[in-house]
């Protein structure tokens, strides 16, 4: 997205997109190149999601508790939502399993509202779902985002007894870049030494498993980018590549480049069972397949659901999140339910 017309945002478009993402309110003070990259990425993703948003809805039987501050600083980025099956409230027990969802968006697009449709449909299937915000590029970097997610998890742990949910049936989920954050959060929560190596403090929730939807799971291509030799390919990951040197700098300084290789991570951390969702026309399909191969070779517990659409259909990236009305999406949500309930 390079010409001025494509970068122009009408008032009507801004009002729509600000329902689920920052547009340009946080770009003052950053470099022109950074501002152009971030705004371009947000508009590209936002204009893809805009027509889909007309079909997003909260299903019957789900109660929504919105904009709960997990840090009392007034930032939208430091709020979370909770979606509860209405029956859980009526029964007022402590048995409803919990999913904590981390939205995607290339680390620079989206807020929790982007995933409300997905989270409420997951809640409809018998889960309490916390959906967390985190600061976006350029307001913070990868370590800052991980810190935000862990702060949200700490708030959740400290407040679980205020809700009719199980305190020890906890799962994580994330899509695309949210899958990255979910994977590293899972590793931090599962292994104290891994957390200490990155200088992070676990929340102490000890998740029983995780579901990654079109997850960006392999960070190694982004940790040694030389922008002088970078040539855009038209891939949706081009914008992340452009900002990677600054975005991952503190992660590399903390030793993240030594643990980012998936084989190394799986060797270091005994991850709980994971669910991997992708499709043949997902540009991050290779990440799911690579993770599945590594887990398989190590004898770890996982499920891989990698669909091949027929030649007259497309599924694409994060289809269970963005298009819950598809039959394939309903099947994926049901599969996440079955995977999770088998672990409790």
């Amino acid at each position: 997205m390079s010409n001025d017309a494509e970068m122009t945002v009408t008032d009507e478009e801004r009002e729509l997109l600000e329902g689920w993402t920052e547009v340009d309110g946080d770009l003052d003070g950053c470099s022109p190149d950074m501002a152009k990259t971030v705004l371009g990425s947000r508009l590209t993703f936002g204009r893809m999601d805009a027509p889909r948003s007309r079909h997003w809805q909260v299903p019957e039987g789900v109660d929504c508790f919105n904009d709960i501050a997990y840090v009392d600083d007034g930032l939208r980025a430091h709020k979370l939502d909770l979606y509860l099956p209405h029956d859980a409230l009526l029964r007022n027990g402590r048995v409803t399993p919990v999913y904590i969802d981390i939205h995607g968006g290339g680390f620079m697009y989206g807020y929790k509202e982007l995933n409300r449709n997905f989270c409420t449909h997951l809640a409809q299937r018998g889960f309490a779902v916390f959906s967390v915000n985190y600061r976006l590029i350029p307001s913070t970097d990868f370590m800052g985002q991980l810190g935000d997610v862990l702060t949200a998890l700490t708030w959740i742990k400290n407040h679980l007894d205020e809700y009719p949910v199980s305190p020890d049936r906890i799962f994580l989920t994330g899509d695309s870049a949210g899958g990255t954050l979910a994977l590293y959060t899972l590793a931090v929560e599962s292994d104290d030494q891994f957390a200490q190596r990155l200088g992070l403090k676990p929340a102490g929730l000890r998740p029983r498993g995780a579901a990654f939807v079109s997850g960006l799971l392999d960070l190694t291509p982004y940790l040694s980018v030389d922008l002088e030799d970078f040539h855009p390919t038209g891939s949706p990951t081009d914008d992340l590549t452009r900002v990677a040197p600054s975005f991952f700098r503190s992660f590399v300084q903390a030793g993240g480049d030594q643990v980012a290789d998936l084989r190394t991570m799986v060797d270091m951390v005994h991850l709980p069972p994971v669910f991997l969702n992708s499709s043949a026309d997902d540009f991050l399909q290779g990440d799911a397949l690579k993770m599945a191969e590594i887990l398989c070779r190590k004898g770890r517990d996982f499920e891989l659901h990698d669909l091949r659409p027929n030649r007259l259909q497309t599924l694409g990236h994060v289809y269970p999140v963005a298009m819950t009305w598809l039959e394939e999406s309903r099947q994926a949500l049901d599969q996440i339910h079955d995977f999770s309930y088998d672990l409790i």
Side-chain angles (χ1 to χ4, degrees), residues 225-235 237-238 241-242:
V225 172
D226 185 346
L227 291 180
E228 291 185 1
D229 294 331
F230 170 60
H231 301 286
T233 63
S235 166
T237 60
D238 281 350
T241 302
R242 289 187 180 96

Side-chain angles (χ1 to χ4, degrees), residues 9 12-27 38-50 53 56 76-77 103-116 133-138:
V9 187
E12 181 180 8
E13 183 176 43
R14 181 184 301 278
E15 182 179 4
L16 177 65
L17 296 183
E18 286 182 347
W20 66 80
T21 188
E22 186 64 67
V23 178
D24 55 8
D26 58 348
L27 300 183
V38 173
L39 179 58
S41 182
R42 290 173 179 172
L43 293 180
T44 296
F45 285 125
R47 287 166 180 168
M48 186 180 302
D49 285 324
S53 71
W56 295 344
R76 182 178 181 181
H103 70 83
F107 305 105
M108 62 189 84
Y109 164 75
Y111 282 127
K112 55 186 172 56
E113 290 80 7
L114 180 64
N115 279 28
R116 177 171 291 167
N133 272 347
Y134 52 89
R135 288 169 295 162
L136 303 171
I137 297 172

Side-chain angles (χ1 to χ4, degrees), residues 168-308:
D168 59 359
R169 297 185 178 102
I170 310 294
F171 299 86
L172 299 179
T173 184
D175 61 288
S176 197
T180 318
L181 294 168
L183 173 61
Y184 279 83
T185 300
L186 184 68
V188 166
E189 289 295 301
S190 301
D191 188 283
D192 290 340
Q193 289 187 336
F194 185 89
Q196 291 170 6
R197 187 159 187 164
L198 292 180
L200 297 169
K201 183 178 179 181
L205 283 174
R206 298 294 182 185
R208 294 196 178 200
F212 304 126
V213 177
S214 296
L216 194 166
L217 305 176
D218 183 10
L219 288 184
T220 54
Y222 306 99
L223 301 185
S224 57
V225 172
D226 185 346
L227 291 180
E228 291 185 1
D229 294 331
F230 170 60
H231 301 286
T233 63
S235 166
T237 60
D238 281 350
D239 288 336
L240 176 58
T241 302
R242 289 187 180 96
V243 303
S246 60
F247 181 63
F248 290 110
R249 182 175 296 120
S250 65
F251 176 65
V252 172
Q253 291 171 347
D257 55 332
Q258 300 171 22
V259 299
D261 180 81
L262 291 176
R263 288 179 176 81
T264 302
M265 178 186 288
V266 172
D267 278 338
M268 289 180 62
V269 182
H270 194 88
L271 296 171
V274 300
F275 177 101
L276 300 164
N277 170 270
S278 187
S279 65
D281 57 350
D282 177 6
F283 68 89
L284 289 179
Q285 182 197 34
D287 284 48
L289 298 180
K290 182 176 182 178
M291 186 66 163
E293 180 190 6
I294 292 168
L295 292 170
C296 180
R297 290 183 180 277
K298 294 294 181 181
R300 304 295 174 80
D301 192 356
F302 73 97
E303 286 187 24
L304 172 65
H305 296 268
D306 179 37
L307 295 190
R308 178 181 181 274

Side-chain angles (χ1 to χ4, degrees), residues 3-178:
N3 66 57
D4 292 341
E6 290 177 324
M7 298 287 279
T8 301
V9 187
T10 66
D11 291 343
E12 181 180 8
E13 183 176 43
R14 181 184 301 278
E15 182 179 4
L16 177 65
L17 296 183
E18 286 182 347
W20 66 80
T21 188
E22 186 64 67
V23 178
D24 55 8
D26 58 348
L27 300 183
D28 291 343
C30 66
S31 71
D33 286 345
M34 175 68 78
K36 183 177 180 180
T37 297
V38 173
L39 179 58
S41 182
R42 290 173 179 172
L43 293 180
T44 296
F45 285 125
R47 287 166 180 168
M48 186 180 302
D49 285 324
R52 296 170 174 174
S53 71
R54 301 185 183 99
H55 300 277
W56 295 344
Q57 58 181 318
V58 176
E60 291 186 9
V62 176
D63 295 304
C64 305
F65 301 85
N66 300 326
D67 293 330
I68 303 167
Y70 68 83
V71 177
D72 190 17
D73 59 6
L75 291 180
R76 182 178 181 181
H78 287 153
K79 294 181 179 180
L80 57 81
D81 292 342
L82 170 61
Y83 308 109
L84 275 174
H86 188 59
D87 194 51
L89 286 173
L90 295 177
R91 294 175 184 269
N92 197 33
R94 292 289 184 270
V95 296
T96 303
V98 174
Y99 254 101
I100 300 170
D101 178 65
I102 307 168
H103 70 83
F107 305 105
M108 62 189 84
Y109 164 75
Y111 282 127
K112 55 186 172 56
E113 290 80 7
L114 180 64
N115 279 28
R116 177 171 291 167
N117 184 56
F118 170 73
C119 292
T120 54
H121 281 77
L122 194 56
Q124 187 187 37
R125 286 162 170 79
F127 300 96
V129 183
F130 287 94
S131 180
V132 304
N133 272 347
Y134 52 89
R135 288 169 295 162
L136 303 171
I137 297 172
S139 297
T140 192
D141 60 11
F142 183 64
M143 292 297 287
Q145 292 184 354
L146 274 176
D148 283 354
V149 171
L150 289 166
T151 299
L153 264 63
T154 300
W155 186 96
I156 291 168
K157 184 177 190 299
N158 292 337
H159 291 82
L160 277 177
D161 61 358
E162 299 173 16
Y163 303 100
V165 302
S166 172
D168 59 359
R169 297 185 178 102
I170 310 294
F171 299 86
L172 299 179
T173 184
D175 61 288
S176 197

